[in-house]
Amino acid sequence: MRTTTCTLNEKMGGFKKMKRTLLLALTSLAIALYAQAPPNQPFAASGGRGAGRGPAGPQTIPLWPNGVPGALGDTDADKPELTFYRAGRSGTAVIIAPGGAYRNLSMEGEGRQEAYWFNAMGVSAFVLKYRLAPYHHPAELNDAQRAIRIVRSRSAEFGIQPDRIGMMGFSAGGHLAATAATHFDAGNPDAADAIERAGSRPDFLILGYPVISFQASVAGQNVLGAYANSGRNLLGDNPDQKTLDNLSDELQVTAQTPPTFLYHTTNDNLVAVENSVQFYLALRKARVPAEMHLFENGAHGSGMGMTDPALSAWPTLLMNWMRSRGLLTGQPGGGGFGGGRGASGGRGPSGGRGAN
């Protein structure tokens, strides 16, 4: 009997190892395809360049083609945009906000690699280039909300379903994603701009080692200097307590906050794991479906974690979560990720999932 049990365990271990190897291979292939993709070609149909994934490469879509509100100049840094990586089999899309302390953007390790990973699963992806310091709040949130409205209002053109638009963010980009998921509206039905009529609520949320809180109990006494000066870059030198509270996203969670997947490492020495823990507890209190995975070790900014034997498991965990919510199939599952118009009066999620 011991021999039989041992053999079964060995077979199961071999299956898990093979599954992980396959995922790594798919991601590597996707990234390799990105590296070989030709430069973007002119694209006139929708005010962008390229035509999604394919011969013309990714499509670049300006958020504000007729002029960026509150622009401080006319350089590339003053022009936020989305880069679209088309997949389309699942009808699901993810908008990805790279991190960088609201000062820089880690477009490769926390943007493009993830986009091609999603593509390998049939999920379309949009990498968001948002405005950074010297821009301050609410410019960054305005860019995130505009990105969601664009994807939703043009969902038929992009080959996705308007109620299957998620947002993903890492580090400070995780803060932006969480802020978009806790500060949204149903759109303005009277707006002259059709994009502004669409709701800005993401239908699901994916957070990797996110900045969440500007409370001293989480960020430390030097709130603005925490997280490599993310607070100062976002809010300037003298934000009032009301602003700090408003942008501490664990304080803004309601039953309408979308279902959320979180992962973090316990020894992250830049963004404390308590950020994810506090957000998870707020989601649980509001009865929002949530799943959190905490790893003992791992450097901040690890992205997909493919070079780390432990962290490389988290993309598989995310894939399983998305599959369980019906996000990897052509038809929605029973995961309750709805409220796709982004309306504050949409369906309220209920229940919850435990943390590892």
Side-chain angles (χ1 to χ4, degrees), residues 259-283:
T260 302
F261 177 99
L262 302 106
Y263 99 92
H264 215 121
T265 59
T266 302
N267 65 356
D268 188 324
N269 61 7
L270 184 62
V271 177
V273 70
E274 282 78 8
N275 283 271
S276 285
V277 171
Q278 290 301 315
F279 196 67
Y280 172 79
L281 291 174
L283 293 167

Side-chain angles (χ1 to χ4, degrees), residues 187-223:
N188 179 2
D190 300 320
D193 183 353
I195 293 172
E196 292 299 312
R197 299 173 204 156
S200 63
R201 176 186 182 269
D203 298 301
F204 59 95
L205 184 62
I206 303 166
L207 301 177
Y209 42 88
V211 171
I212 292 292
S213 183
F214 292 120
Q215 301 298 301
S217 59
V218 177
Q221 292 304 310
N222 184 10
V223 171

